[in-house]
């Protein structure tokens, strides 16, 4: 019997986004609500994995997360911002062409 994974993301706050995006034009900012939805989707993908490693490939996210349906550039901006906010970390994958993210 496998123990359930305990990930439970730390929500991104509106204040955190404001401080982080001070020099970003307002139209290019991504809402903390969208970021938290993305984190919840990523957590769901990780919870379905059988290994205890908290990594997920960009391809797995593309196939399983709704935020990729907003467009490739928006999805990459979301992932980049989540890395900047220390929720994810981009790490080298087994294959150098595969982008992988580590849950922090």
């Amino acid at each position: 019997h496998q123990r359930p994974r305990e990930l439970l993301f730390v929500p991104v706050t509106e204040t955190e986004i404001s401080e982080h995006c001070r020099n970003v034009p307002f139209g290019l900012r991504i809402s903390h609500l969208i970021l938290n939805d993305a984190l919840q989707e990523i957590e769901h993908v990780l919870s379905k994995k059988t290994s205890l490693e908290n990594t997920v490939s960009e391809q797995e996210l593309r196939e399983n997360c709704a935020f990729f349906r907003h467009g490739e550039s928006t999805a990459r901006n979301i992932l980049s911002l989540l890395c900047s906010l220390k929720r994810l970390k981009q790490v080298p994958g087994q294959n150098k062409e595969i982008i992988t993210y580590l849950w922090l």
Side-chain angles (χ1 to χ4, degrees):
H1 184 76
Q2 189 176 357
R3 201 175 108 237
R5 298 163 62 102
E6 291 186 30
L7 295 170
L8 301 176
F9 69 90
V10 177
V12 176
T13 65
E14 198 168 355
T15 304
E16 192 175 15
I17 290 290
S18 299
E19 289 173 6
H20 186 76
C21 296
R22 260 180 279 179
N23 300 322
V24 176
F26 188 75
L28 298 178
R29 292 185 188 178
I30 296 173
S31 158
H32 69 288
L33 300 173
I34 290 172
L35 293 173
N36 288 332
D37 284 349
L39 281 171
Q40 197 166 17
E41 291 176 5
I42 294 166
E43 183 177 57
H44 181 71
V45 172
L46 283 167
S47 71
K48 292 191 297 185
K49 294 181 84 154
T50 54
S51 73
L52 291 177
E53 198 174 306
N54 287 340
T55 59
V56 62
S57 73
E58 189 171 295
Q59 186 60 38
E60 288 173 288
L61 297 178
R62 186 177 281 112
E63 292 169 359
N64 295 290
C65 295
F67 67 87
F68 263 95
R69 294 187 201 112
H70 297 294
E72 188 76 20
S73 64
T74 300
R76 287 183 183 270
N77 286 339
I78 288 170
L79 291 170
S80 176
L81 192 49
L82 289 173
C83 287
S84 295
L85 294 168
K86 308 282 190 254
R87 298 311 193 280
L88 296 175
K89 180 180 180 181
Q90 191 172 327
V91 295
Q94 294 172 350
N95 174 343
K96 290 183 179 174
E97 295 175 12
I98 297 175
I99 299 171
T100 305
Y101 293 92
L102 174 66
W103 184 269
L104 298 177

